[in-house]
């Protein structure tokens, strides 16, 4: 397995481009199951999770072209999906266990094909992550749900519109129910819906396909069911978490970086905390410029559903806090076990105390490079950030997780002056 090797201490300077959003692309690719024909999606990030979703859609009977070949070259960011006939309705354990977002085929399969058999995802490195809200919603729409041999089997001749009240705002749950409701008979309301930009983006895509969705981006989403949807062409929004990660890299290294092609309105909470940490953040044509402060100020953060501070940026801000002058407190409210990076950061010299969902971080004058590894995506990104400011060499092992969510991060950071490279064949 590859590792990422970093020699710390470089100040980052220059422009960096943000890729398309992974968490927007995954439900959008799954939504192609609601149509018959060929849809083309642009600005899709070239990531392992996208490949996994394409593989799953192929198992179900779709044909997936990714990347699209153009003569001798290939466009790495275009996916064409043709979903003429569905030959299977099973999302197997082998795929679901590598990517929980596989559960996003559940809603579309029941809605258009009357049945779905999806492996229960099981526990995950960052928390239990049940899917009870997805199932409760489908049941309210008339689906019969059974658990068989580790699989959820959902059946419905045709779903019917219903009032769906989520106990908690769940991102993929809202997406599954919104997709299911587009082809249900009658009107559905999703209350306490997740408001993340990725939910709004999916609604845009569904409406392009001919669906009638209103209110996405607010806690109440209304969907009038239609009889069929048609294939489309669409370019995916930029990845706000990749953008946020680059912004922290700039602040942390006292750099001066223009983060290109991001949408600042998706990053309000992140930008506010960067400013509290002392960074200068300015909107410019083409992106957002971040200048790091001479002295990083401590920041207190509580993760929240959007528009609050995203849990997917918690680990990266913790690294910023390790270099602050003073004490920061982070409260993780979304996932119960999302502090997997703490022990590794401690090995690099960070001073962090965990008490349940609370982390108290006392800034230290220096971190030191070390071999480290992480068991989830954002934790891996935080170790890369720590490596950028640590003295000496850091080797981030098991980059499998990183590659699920960051497109060639080392190639993107190197032109900014980072001394970072991929090394093959480490443990
Ligand atoms: N939850 C339930 N029951 C459910 C669904 C969720 O109890 O039926 C709980 C979860 O256990 C968690 C909370 O609700 O405590 C919120 O989870 P949510 O369902 O919103 O998370 P998700 O949809 O599984 C998406 C992203 C995650 C991101 C979270 C939170 C995708 C594919 N994944 O997950 O992204 O952390 O929302 O914003 O959109 C990542 O990209 O690294 C990542 C983990």
């Amino acid at each position: 397995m590859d590792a990422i090797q970093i020699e710390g201490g470089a100040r980052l300077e220059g422009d960096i481009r943000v890729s398309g959003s992974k968490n927007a692309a995954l439900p959008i690719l799954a939504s192609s199951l609601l149509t018959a024909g060929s849809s083309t999606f642009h600005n899709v990030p070239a990531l392992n999770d996208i490949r996994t979703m394409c593989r799953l859609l192929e198992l179900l009977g779709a044909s997936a072209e990714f990347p699209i070949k153009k003569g001798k070259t290939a466009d790495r960011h275009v996916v064409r999906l043709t979903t003429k006939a569905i030959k299977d309705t099973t999302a197997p354990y082998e795929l679901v266990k590598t990517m929980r977002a596989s559960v996003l085929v559940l809603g579309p399969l029941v809605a258009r094909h009357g049945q779905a058999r999806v492996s229960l995802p099981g526990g995950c490195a960052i928390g239990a992550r049940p899917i009870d809200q997805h199932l409760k919603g489908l049941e309210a729409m008339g689906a019969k749900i059974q658990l068989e041999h580790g699989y959820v089997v959902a059946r419905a001749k045709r779903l019917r519109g219903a009032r769906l009240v989520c106990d908690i705002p769940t991102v993929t749950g809202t997406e599954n129910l919104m997709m299911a409701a587009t082809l249900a008979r009658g009107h559905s309301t999703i209350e306490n819906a997740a408001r993340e930009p990725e939910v709004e983006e999916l609604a845009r895509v569904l409406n392009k396909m001919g669906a009638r969705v209103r209110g996405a981006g607010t806690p109440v989403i209304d969907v009038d069911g239609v009889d069929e949807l048609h294939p489309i062409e669409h370019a995916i929004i930029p990845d706000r978490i990749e953008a946020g990660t680059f912004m922290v890299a700039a602040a942390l290294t006292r750099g001066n970086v223009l983060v290109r092609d991001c949408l600042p309105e998706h990053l309000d909470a992140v930008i506010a905390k960067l400013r509290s940490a002392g960074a200068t953040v300015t909107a410019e044509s083409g992106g957002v410029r971040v200048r790091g402060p001479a002295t990083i100020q401590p920041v207190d953060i509580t993760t929240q559903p959007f528009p609050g501070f995203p849990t997917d940026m918690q680990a990266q801000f913790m690294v910023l806090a390790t270099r602050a002058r003073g004490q920061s407190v982070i409260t993780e409210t979304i996932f119960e076990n999302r502090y997997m990076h703490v022990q590794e950061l401690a090995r690099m010299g960070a001073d962090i105390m965990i008490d349940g969902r609370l982390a108290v971080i006392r800034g230290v004058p220096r971190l030191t490079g070390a071999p480290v590894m992480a068991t989830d995506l954002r934790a891996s990104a935080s170790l890369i950030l720590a490596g950028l400011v640590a003295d000496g060499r850091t080797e981030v092992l098991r980059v499998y997780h990183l590659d699920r969510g960051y497109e060639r991060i080392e190639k993107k950071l190197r032109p900014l002056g980072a001394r970072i490279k991929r090394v093959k064949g480490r443990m």
Side-chain angles (χ1 to χ4, degrees):
M1 215 179 282
D2 297 354
I4 302 282
Q5 214 174 68
I6 310 154
E7 302 291 338
R11 177 172 178 267
L12 301 191
E13 208 165 344
D15 293 14
I16 191 163
R17 202 192 149 266
V18 176
S19 295
S21 160
K22 165 180 85 76
N23 288 348
L26 290 169
I28 287 173
L29 298 182
S31 75
S32 66
L33 291 169
L34 294 164
T35 71
S38 278
S39 287
T40 306
F41 300 107
H42 300 266
N43 202 33
V44 180
L47 297 170
N48 285 346
D49 272 10
I50 300 296
R51 283 177 208 106
T52 306
M53 181 56 86
C54 287
R55 206 164 349 122
L56 172 57
L57 295 172
E58 280 179 325
L59 283 182
L60 301 175
S63 79
E65 284 174 82
F66 177 54
I68 294 282
K69 299 221 169 46
K70 277 188 185 162
K72 281 191 180 148
T73 58
D75 190 333
R76 292 164 39 79
H77 299 112
V78 183
V79 177
R80 188 175 301 133
L81 289 168
T82 307
T83 44
K84 285 213 179 86
I86 291 305
K87 60 173 201 259
D88 200 342
T89 51
T90 299
Y93 179 60
E94 293 66 41
L95 286 186
V96 181
K97 78 171 196 286
T98 61
M99 187 185 72
R100 300 178 60 83
S102 307
V103 76
L104 285 164
V105 299
L106 180 63
L109 281 177
V110 193
R112 179 151 171 263
H113 306 280
Q115 174 169 317
R117 199 171 155 266
V118 175
S119 170
L120 271 176
C124 143
I126 61 178
R129 301 182 78 182
I131 57 163
D132 55 304
Q133 300 302 310
H134 306 225
L135 302 182
K136 187 178 88 169
L138 289 174
E139 224 161 15
M141 282 193 268
K144 294 267 171 300
I145 310 270
Q146 284 170 314
L147 293 186
E148 292 172 4
H149 308 291
Y151 281 73
V152 171
V153 184
R155 291 189 188 89
K157 268 216 173 88
R158 182 166 181 192
L159 294 170
R160 52 170 195 271
R163 180 174 171 228
L164 313 171
V165 185
C166 300
D167 297 347
I168 34 163
T170 147
V171 177
T172 49
T174 303
E175 290 165 348
N176 244 335
L177 298 178
M178 195 163 70
M179 289 190 278
T182 58
L183 290 180
R185 182 176 293 125
H187 179 87
S188 298
T189 310
I190 309 172
E191 293 178 27
N192 200 17
R195 290 190 274 166
E196 270 66 5
E198 295 77 18
V199 173
E200 229 182 314
E201 171 76 344
L202 175 63
R204 252 190 306 274
V205 161
L206 294 170
N207 285 339
K208 253 192 186 177
M209 290 173 167
R212 294 169 61 195
V213 181
R214 292 181 313 278
T218 78
V220 181
I221 301 178
D222 283 291
V223 185
D224 285 309
V226 295
D227 290 335
E228 58 178 22
L229 297 178
H230 52 79
I232 56 157
E233 185 154 357
H234 183 79
I236 312 264
I237 51 167
D239 196 307
R240 63 192 167 101
I241 305 302
E242 190 198 28
T245 304
F246 295 153
M247 289 177 182
V248 173
L252 193 61
T253 61
R254 298 172 171 78
N256 180 351
V257 174
L258 180 64
V259 181
R260 284 200 175 277
D261 293 347
C262 63
L263 294 173
E265 62 270 30
H266 293 171
L267 285 152
D268 285 342
V270 169
I271 290 174
K273 288 298 173 187
L274 280 169
R275 287 187 174 136
S276 318
T280 308
V281 186
T282 41
E284 281 186 15
S285 70
V288 171
R289 182 171 297 281
V290 179
R291 292 186 186 87
T295 305
I296 298 170
Q297 300 302 321
V299 274
D300 291 343
I301 284 168
T302 301
T303 61
Q304 295 284 347
F306 191 85
F309 187 91
T311 173
D312 289 344
M313 285 300 301
Q314 178 258 107
Q316 300 89 316
F317 265 75
M318 189 178 286
V319 178
L320 197 61
T322 65
R323 299 305 309 275
R325 181 179 289 169
Q327 177 175 294
S328 307
V329 178
I330 294 183
T331 313
E332 172 59 62
T333 72
I334 309 291
F335 293 113
E336 64 275 20
N337 194 24
R338 213 175 193 183
Y339 285 137
M340 307 295 283
H341 41 289
V342 168
Q343 287 315 316
E344 299 300 290
L345 292 175
R347 294 184 50 246
M348 297 176 75
D351 178 352
I352 305 170
M353 198 194 71
I354 300 288
D355 184 5
R357 290 177 177 246
L358 218 67
V360 178
I361 303 109
R362 279 193 219 100
V364 290
R366 60 197 280 263
L367 296 176
T368 53
V372 285
M373 73 185 181
T375 45
D376 91 81
L377 165 56
R378 308 301 168 188
S380 304
S382 77
L383 298 178
I384 299 277
L385 294 177
L388 289 174
V389 283
D391 291 350
R393 176 177 295 177
T394 295
E395 205 165 74
V396 182
L397 304 167
R398 295 226 181 137
V399 287
Y400 159 79
H401 292 287
L402 193 74
D403 290 340
R404 290 184 47 198
Y406 291 86
E407 192 180 330
R408 304 177 176 199
I409 196 167
E410 73 283 11
K411 289 205 171 147
K412 286 195 177 189
L413 289 174
R414 214 177 300 135
L416 301 180
R419 293 186 292 264
I420 179 168
K421 65 178 184 195
R422 184 174 290 256
V423 286
K424 298 272 173 204
R426 291 289 205 278
M427 270 274 292

